[in-house]
Amino acid sequence: MINFANDKPARLALLGECMVEYLAAAPDVPHAYAGDTCNTAVYLRRLLAATEAKISYITALGDDAISRDMLAAWQLMGIDTALVSCIAGKAPGRYTIVTAADGERGFHYDRTAAAVRDLFRATSSARLSAALQGYTLFYLSGISMAILSQAEREQLYDLVKRLHAAHVSIVFDSNYRPVLWSSVQEARCAYAGLYPYVSLALVSYADESAVFADSSPLATAERIASLGVPEIVVKNGAEPCTVKTTDAQQTYPVKQPAQHAVQDTTAAGDSFNAAYISARLGGYDIATAIAAAQRLSAQVIQFPGAIIPEHHTPTLAHLTADDNAG
């Protein structure tokens, strides 16, 4: 279980892939730099800006101009990039968002020269583990796992095991993308091998049911709990959110619907995760953290792309205020 009562400044590390984001409406113009764990890192940095929290991003970039710009952008945001590897001849992947009339999105990916696939050739699990000693938590997703080869994935498992043994809490969002896996069975085995080391699972029912054929969000929560995970949050779109801990289980209706039409659901779950983690690190109970997460997610889906303008991002104090969280 994450020690949410720890009075030391939080130190959070997130591992994954950041890509160049394009919108279908403007296919020749880069819109932003985004990726699931990177999105969460950005929102964590914004929400925890008033604290001494350290947000570190772990990935691999190339030596091209876009990689340099991406690195500079993170540094400008206040994200620690000391653990970002740069690989000659490589570049970030790219993806295009296609949104339907209801705001639901589809993705077209190009990872031909993506540097992150060689992350553990540029560094090692032992080196990363040593650098992350004393961190509060380590965050990864199903995409973080899926983009790696089996050999690279074994290095990721080794890193997770080392950090777990060092009492660094592991946070996982399964974030299933079928196109990145050779089969459902491959994803199922990969996730099942990780869950015994996870302290906090922030997953969606759609992803988990696609991989494990769960019959309900509660079934998802119970299955993950049976693997030893002490705190599980199962998101389910506009339907109630299910939370299970070692002591209780509860459902939370979505109380903060968007006030305007949904434009783009990209990063809805990523921002939810950032707000939930931030609130829990701030000492708030699960009910308040869920309400804060729902509120930020509802704000994010009112804008195109994954990262909304910073001045439209509510503060953690606003997200957790009684009139919002009640």
Side-chain angles (χ1 to χ4, degrees):
M1 178 87 65
I2 294 174
N3 181 11
F4 291 111
N6 195 329
D7 57 0
K8 297 180 181 178
R11 301 173 71 191
L12 318 179
L14 301 90
L15 182 148
E17 176 184 34
C18 187
M19 306 180 76
V20 186
E21 178 186 270
Y22 294 83
L23 302 180
D28 299 322
V29 182
H31 176 73
Y33 302 141
D36 65 337
T37 60
C38 182
N39 301 338
T40 300
V42 171
Y43 287 115
L44 280 168
R45 177 69 280 163
R46 292 180 180 181
L47 294 175
L48 297 174
T51 74
E52 297 179 17
K54 180 178 182 178
I55 313 297
S56 300
Y57 197 57
I58 305 170
T59 192
L61 299 176
D63 56 356
D64 61 317
I66 287 181
S67 292
R68 292 192 295 272
D69 287 347
M70 193 178 286
L71 195 65
W74 293 336
Q75 292 167 348
L76 189 62
M77 293 176 194
I79 294 174
D80 172 56
T81 60
L83 299 176
V84 175
S85 299
C86 293
I87 303 174
K90 294 290 186 175
R94 60 177 61 197
Y95 71 98
T96 301
I97 300 175
V98 181
T99 52
D102 62 358
E104 277 303 321
R105 78 281 196 219
F107 301 96
H108 298 287
Y109 297 97
D110 179 5
R111 288 184 168 91
T112 306
V116 71
R117 292 182 179 273
D118 296 320
L119 172 62
F120 286 100
R121 297 178 193 175
T123 184
S124 69
S125 58
R127 186 180 305 168
L128 287 175
S129 175
L132 297 177
Q133 295 301 302
Y135 268 63
T136 309
L137 63 83
F138 174 75
Y139 180 104
L140 74 161
S141 74
I143 295 176
S144 305
M145 304 176 75
I147 57 178
L148 301 175
S149 68
Q150 184 58 43
E152 296 263 306
R153 203 175 297 152
E154 291 301 324
Q155 285 281 312
L156 180 58
Y157 279 126
D158 183 65
L159 173 61
V160 166
K161 292 174 183 178
R162 288 172 181 264
L163 294 176
H164 178 75
H167 306 292
V168 178
S169 296
I170 309 301
V171 181
F172 180 61
D173 181 350
S174 52
N175 220 352
Y176 176 60
R177 297 289 182 269
V179 70
L180 296 178
W181 296 94
S182 64
S183 66
V184 173
Q185 181 62 33
E186 182 188 25
R188 187 179 301 138
C189 291
Y191 293 178
L194 182 75
Y195 273 125
Y197 303 97
V198 171
S199 299
L200 170 61
L202 291 163
V203 303
S204 76
Y205 174 58
D207 290 337
E208 290 290 309
S209 62
V211 177
F212 293 96
D214 295 329
S215 60
S216 68
L218 180 56
T220 293
E222 290 176 338
R223 175 180 50 76
I224 297 175
S226 72
L227 298 172
V229 181
E231 185 166 330
I232 304 119
V233 178
V234 184
K235 298 161 284 183
N236 194 20
E239 297 301 313
C241 182
T242 301
V243 180
K244 184 174 179 60
T245 67
T246 52
D247 301 319
Q249 63 188 40
Q250 181 69 46
T251 57
Y252 297 89
V254 177
K255 297 181 179 179
Q256 299 289 348
Q259 297 177 354
H260 305 286
V262 174
Q263 289 202 30
D264 184 353
T265 58
T266 303
D270 306 331
S271 58
F272 179 106
N273 294 354
Y276 185 88
I277 291 168
S278 297
R280 295 292 277 141
L281 288 172
Y284 293 97
D285 62 19
I286 287 175
T288 303
I290 289 291
Q294 291 174 345
R295 186 172 180 83
L296 180 59
S297 181
Q299 176 77 348
V300 167
I301 63 178
Q302 294 178 37
F303 294 84
I307 306 299
I308 69 176
E310 185 166 5
H311 65 279
H312 283 294
T313 306
T315 65
L316 182 60
H318 179 76
L319 292 173
T320 54
D322 289 342
D323 58 339
N324 292 328

